[in-house]
Amino acid sequence: MGNGDTRVRGIAARAGGWSARHRWAAVGIWVLFVVLAMGLGSAAGRVDVNESDQMGGETHTAARIVEDAGIDEPAGETVLIQAKDGKLTATDAEFRAAVTAVVEAVEGTGEVTGVTSPYEARTISKDGRSALVQFDMRGEADTAGERVEPVLKAVEGVQKDHGSLRIEEIGGASMMKTFDDAFGDDFQKAEYSAVPVALGILLVAFGALVAALVPVALAITAIMATMGLMGLVSHFQPMSDTANSVMLLVGLAVGVDYCLFYLRREREERAAGRDAQTALRIAAATSGRAIVVSGVTVCVAMAGMLFTGIAEFEAMGLASLMVVAVAMVGSVTVLPALLSLLGERVEKGRVPFLRRRRPSGTNEGSRFWTAVLKRVLAKPLLSAAVAVGALLAVAAPALGMKTQNLTLDQEFGDSLPIVGTYNRVNDAFPGGSDPAQVVVRADDINAPEVRTALADFRDRAISSGASRGPVDITMHDEQNVALIHVPLVGGSDQDKAGESLDKLRDDVRPATLGKVDGVEAPITGQVAGNKDFNDQLVGSVAPVFAFVVVFAFLLMLLSFRSLTVAITSIVLNLLSVGAAYGILVAVFQHGWGASLVGAEGVGAIVTWLPLFLFVILFGLSMDYHVFVVSRIREARLRGRTTREAIQHGVVTTAGVVTSAAVIMVAVFAIFGTLSMQSMKQMGVGLAAAVLIDATIIRGVLLPAVMALLGERNWYLPKWLHRLPDLTHDEAPEAVAPVARDDEGERVGV
């Protein structure tokens, strides 16, 4: 075949060829798709995950009963009144005057209902120094945070008049407002700063403004289209703000990476002397194919989250899957059209101090990797042993990983005053801030035996040691539902509160409510929700791991028709994930270097993070693996020895892999700067894993292992030859030979 031959096969090559020949049509179709997706999504609106969909277990059952009964629970608020010096008690006149002032102030706002004095509700601490005024916000609980400010100001006014007392408010609405104010802008800044950071790195990588803008523009349009699609899909699978943030994170990282792979290869081929049409065709058949293989693998990994049964995870998985699919399609369809339209103008807007950089696939970075590869390939066994040893050493702390749902002070530290309020309320009234709630449904809630069981439950909850009271029962006669609020002994100490919950579920309930026929009594609340979430998450680990690993293995086997490549890709990815786990545990659990990222005193990894990181990292690390191994295989098909192919493949991809990794690390590291510890852990874990993957794994361990295996890299048992052949989109001879690249390597034969 010659340069003008267009006999290519495979979806990426065909899509790229059509796009380059029908440039304006391809661009127009893409723009129409983005506009339609956004318009339809906006018109349909987004359905968010609700409480009853969040998880299984008793928490789900309780939420379903409340929802079916049509009971709208208001947002409860509490005002703590506490003596500062220990001299005043709740019986003193000054203390009573403060309580009266608080009651009058909050009632005067017109935003509250059901105000109860501590003298009526018996909400006075044992030492008599603390008391609680409790009330509910009017209107829907979900929007109470938007209406609570006048109440907070009223409480602040009372505080100013009573300097000897501590008077502060806490509750669902006030916490909602505090967190929204403190961290809403935080998230926005992180999301907005990710784009200029990526653009800046691309400017350095390409040295030209137009070339840098193309990947960012495509990534942003892919994200915009996915946001619209999320609105449509949410009517079948509810979405969430968290899913939206993860989608933005993954979409920007993957979208920019895919375009970077494609654009770099096209520029490299043009720099090597090909005409524009041939350069695009080669890029479509090589990098385009790698993008498709990588994209499908990432989508499969993200689909693993759908097996958790947890609505939030399912939303994150589906949103990530969609943005990766859209970015992949955009990269192999509209990108060739844009490059064909721009031609040499892709080099416009050269950055002055980067003028010496040439638009070739071999750059200064590859000289460094040439030196590294020379040593790795000279002593592959030693290199592999050192790399594996280092990774296992980094991963070792993960063996002692402790996971838990972070408490308020672990999540936010002392950065918010409301955290101190939360701790003071829990110290004075253990479990009062996060009581367990028993949702009792009966055929007749006022039947004598049900009434007796409710009273027995209240008494036994205290006598069993699970609660110190007061245990409140709210009757909903029309719905035949009763709600029992039980402050748990242990308060903010999750382990002790968990033991109290177990007593309620395993001992108190069976001995009281469990003896009455036709009564359902699931126990919910924050502690119960955390336990049910953990149980469900643990139960989903095995199927998620198995699904992701098995399908990734099969995709690699079909894409490279090599059992060896498929196995090594899985092992290397697991090493990468293990190292990321080890870094997380070392920093956030053991506190090694925690001060550098503002994570002192956390002492645990947030429960959902290990599974989330596994799925995300397993997918994203395939980007580099597919791209590097594709280049190695391509060189091998052109007649190079395996060792020469490894040298050529790693060196010629070093620049693009380094640039892609720097972008991913920078974007993820931005999330590591957020105030919330769970987001900080996610950002640090992702950034560390990508950095390790792009350097130690792809630059040292992969070439060392492949060098040791030699021709066995391409081993496929005869009984597997019947498998579909998805290995390459273009015959090796279709690529015209050129003399030599900057490293003196042959580019063709």
Side-chain angles (χ1 to χ4, degrees):
M1 295 185 191
N3 279 8
D5 196 305
T6 58
R7 283 193 293 134
V8 294
R9 59 189 176 90
I11 190 169
R14 288 200 299 270
W18 185 92
S19 178
R21 292 192 304 274
H22 305 85
R23 300 177 296 185
W24 287 111
V27 173
I29 290 170
W30 178 255
V31 171
L32 182 64
F33 163 68
V34 174
V35 171
L36 275 176
M38 291 180 65
L40 292 173
S42 178
R46 195 182 81 183
V47 178
D48 284 343
V49 172
N50 61 43
E51 187 179 353
S52 63
D53 291 331
Q54 279 284 21
M55 60 191 74
E58 293 192 29
T59 307
H60 173 78
T61 306
R64 181 176 50 79
I65 291 173
V66 171
E67 191 176 299
D68 291 346
I71 299 172
D72 294 323
E73 290 193 88
E77 288 289 295
T78 296
V79 177
L80 171 69
I81 303 165
Q82 189 175 66
K84 287 183 178 179
D85 56 10
K87 295 178 182 178
L88 286 176
T89 65
T91 57
D92 293 327
E94 186 178 346
F95 201 108
R96 285 181 176 274
V99 170
T100 301
V102 168
V103 171
E104 291 175 351
V106 298
E107 284 181 335
T109 64
E111 297 287 351
V112 307
T113 184
V115 182
T116 57
S117 164
Y119 303 110
E120 299 169 3
R122 297 179 296 143
T123 50
I124 298 172
S125 63
K126 281 190 173 182
D127 61 9
R129 295 180 55 247
S130 306
L132 302 178
V133 174
Q134 296 175 312
F135 53 90
D136 294 326
M137 293 295 299
R138 293 184 185 275
E140 293 183 8
D142 291 344
T143 57
E146 300 168 11
R147 302 185 302 278
V148 77
E149 187 167 0
V151 186
L152 291 169
K153 288 190 178 297
V155 172
E156 286 174 12
V158 179
Q159 171 68 88
K160 290 175 183 176
D161 297 334
H162 297 81
S164 60
L165 296 168
R166 179 181 286 112
I167 301 173
E168 47 197 13
E169 183 176 345
I170 190 170
S174 50
M175 290 173 76
M176 190 187 307
K177 175 175 168 48
T178 302
F179 298 156
D180 285 348
D181 289 349
F183 303 109
D185 291 341
D186 208 4
F187 275 105
Q188 273 194 339
K189 287 174 185 174
E191 290 166 357
Y192 290 153
S193 60
V195 173
V197 165
L199 183 59
I201 295 166
L202 286 167
L203 270 175
V204 174
F206 288 123
L209 181 60
V210 174
L213 281 171
V214 169
V216 172
L218 262 169
I220 291 174
T221 54
I223 288 170
M224 291 166 63
T226 306
M227 289 178 73
L229 295 176
M230 284 174 67
L232 296 173
V233 172
S234 70
H235 292 270
F236 306 96
Q237 166 62 58
M239 290 293 166
S240 68
D241 288 336
T242 306
N244 198 56
S245 293
V246 171
M247 184 275 292
L248 287 167
L249 187 75
V250 173
L252 185 62
V254 171
V256 169
D257 274 9
Y258 287 168
C259 294
L260 185 61
F261 293 164
Y262 206 110
L263 185 54
R264 267 295 181 90
R265 184 59 186 263
E266 189 267 348
R267 281 162 58 98
E268 178 184 335
E269 296 300 333
R270 283 197 292 110
R274 267 85 168 183
D275 60 79
Q277 182 183 353
T278 303
L280 267 176
R281 181 167 56 80
I282 295 171
T286 53
S287 291
R289 170 193 169 273
I291 288 168
V292 171
V293 173
S294 173
V296 172
T297 309
V298 175
C299 286
V300 167
M302 300 302 179
M305 288 198 224
L306 301 177
F307 289 83
T308 60
I310 299 171
E312 193 73 66
F313 266 58
E314 291 171 349
M316 287 191 290
L318 194 54
S320 302
L321 185 157
M322 287 193 296
V323 79
V324 171
V326 172
M328 175 185 71
V329 171
S331 298
V332 298
T333 56
V334 73
L335 182 58
L338 287 174
L339 294 179
S340 180
L341 282 168
L342 289 169
E344 293 296 330
R345 285 171 294 186
V346 78
E347 304 291 345
K348 291 284 186 183
R350 300 293 300 173
V351 180
F353 58 88
L354 295 174
R355 281 192 185 279
R356 293 179 59 204
R357 296 179 67 87
R358 287 166 296 165
S360 121
T362 57
N363 53 32
E364 288 87 337
S366 67
R367 294 196 180 103
F368 167 78
W369 286 112
T370 299
V372 171
L373 258 292
K374 185 177 180 181
R375 289 166 175 76
V376 168
L377 296 179
K379 296 182 177 179
L381 183 59
L382 177 63
S383 300
V386 170
V388 170
L391 289 170
L392 290 177
V394 172
L399 295 173
M401 182 185 290
K402 175 187 176 184
T403 61
Q404 69 177 57
N405 289 294
L406 301 184
T407 59
L408 198 65
D409 53 344
Q410 284 177 315
E411 184 73 90
F412 300 106
D414 56 3
S415 60
L416 294 178
I418 205 167
V419 175
T421 306
Y422 174 85
N423 290 330
R424 283 187 283 273
V425 170
N426 263 311
D427 290 341
F429 303 90
S433 291
D434 301 313
Q437 185 182 70
V438 189
V439 179
V440 183
R441 180 168 65 181
D443 296 332
D444 180 4
I445 201 68
N446 287 305
E449 64 272 18
V450 177
R451 284 280 192 175
T452 302
L454 288 171
D456 288 347
F457 183 93
R458 177 167 54 191
D459 295 340
R460 279 181 178 258
I462 296 173
S463 63
S464 68
S467 175
R468 296 194 184 99
V471 177
D472 298 321
I473 302 177
T474 304
M475 303 296 291
H476 295 272
D477 297 338
E478 290 184 11
Q479 294 90 349
N480 283 314
V481 171
L483 304 179
I484 310 175
H485 295 271
V486 188
L488 295 172
V489 169
S492 57
D493 185 326
Q494 290 195 17
D495 292 335
K496 289 183 179 178
E499 292 173 6
S500 299
L501 174 70
D502 290 339
K503 286 181 184 177
L504 289 183
R505 284 182 167 179
D506 301 336
D507 301 330
V508 177
R509 180 175 55 187
T512 56
L513 297 166
K515 290 184 175 180
V516 183
D517 293 335
V519 169
E520 273 188 284
I523 301 178
T524 184
Q526 184 173 344
V527 176
N530 289 344
K531 184 179 187 307
D532 291 344
F533 177 83
N534 293 345
D535 290 345
Q536 188 161 357
L537 199 62
V538 169
S540 67
V541 167
V544 171
F545 270 58
F547 174 83
V548 173
V549 170
V550 169
F551 271 80
F553 172 81
L554 290 174
L555 280 169
M556 296 301 288
L557 183 65
L558 295 176
S559 300
F560 291 99
R561 287 186 70 79
S562 166
L563 186 62
T564 310
V565 168
I567 292 172
T568 54
S569 67
I570 298 300
V571 172
L572 295 183
N573 277 6
L574 291 175
L575 275 173
S576 179
V577 172
Y581 284 174
I583 290 172
L584 273 178
V585 172
V587 174
F588 294 97
Q589 188 172 315
H590 299 318
W592 303 343
S595 59
L596 299 176
V597 294
E600 301 97 324
V602 179
I605 307 302
V606 64
T607 305
W608 55 265
L609 191 60
L611 185 62
F612 174 82
L613 277 184
F614 171 79
V615 172
I616 296 286
L617 293 177
F618 212 89
L620 295 183
S621 61
M622 281 297 183
D623 273 358
Y624 306 142
H625 192 85
V626 170
F627 193 66
V628 175
V629 176
S630 292
R631 201 64 182 269
I632 292 171
R633 186 178 184 280
E634 182 187 331
R636 181 70 186 86
L637 287 173
R638 292 180 182 178
R640 295 175 186 266
T641 66
T642 295
R643 188 172 288 254
E644 286 177 336
I646 294 167
Q647 171 89 10
H648 176 80
V650 173
V651 168
T652 55
T653 57
V656 67
V657 168
T658 302
S659 300
V662 170
I663 289 169
M664 275 200 184
V665 169
V667 170
F668 294 148
I670 289 170
F671 279 74
T673 65
L674 298 185
S675 304
M676 292 176 65
Q677 289 297 326
S678 53
M679 292 296 103
K680 197 182 290 289
Q681 290 184 10
M682 183 185 79
V684 170
L686 287 169
V690 169
L691 187 61
I692 289 170
D693 198 77
T695 53
I696 298 175
I697 298 285
R698 308 303 160 201
V700 178
L701 191 53
L702 174 64
V705 169
M706 291 190 78
L708 286 171
L709 290 170
E711 292 305 309
R712 286 168 292 186
N713 280 297
W714 321 114
Y715 170 70
L716 185 72
K718 288 184 179 179
W719 58 275
L720 290 177
H721 284 192
R722 299 177 185 174
L723 290 173
D725 187 353
L726 305 179
T727 52
H728 215 280
D729 283 331
E730 183 170 347
E733 64 271 17
V735 182
V738 292
R740 293 180 180 273
D741 59 21
D742 289 345
E743 318 303 341
E745 287 274 7
R746 295 171 298 162
V747 179
V749 292

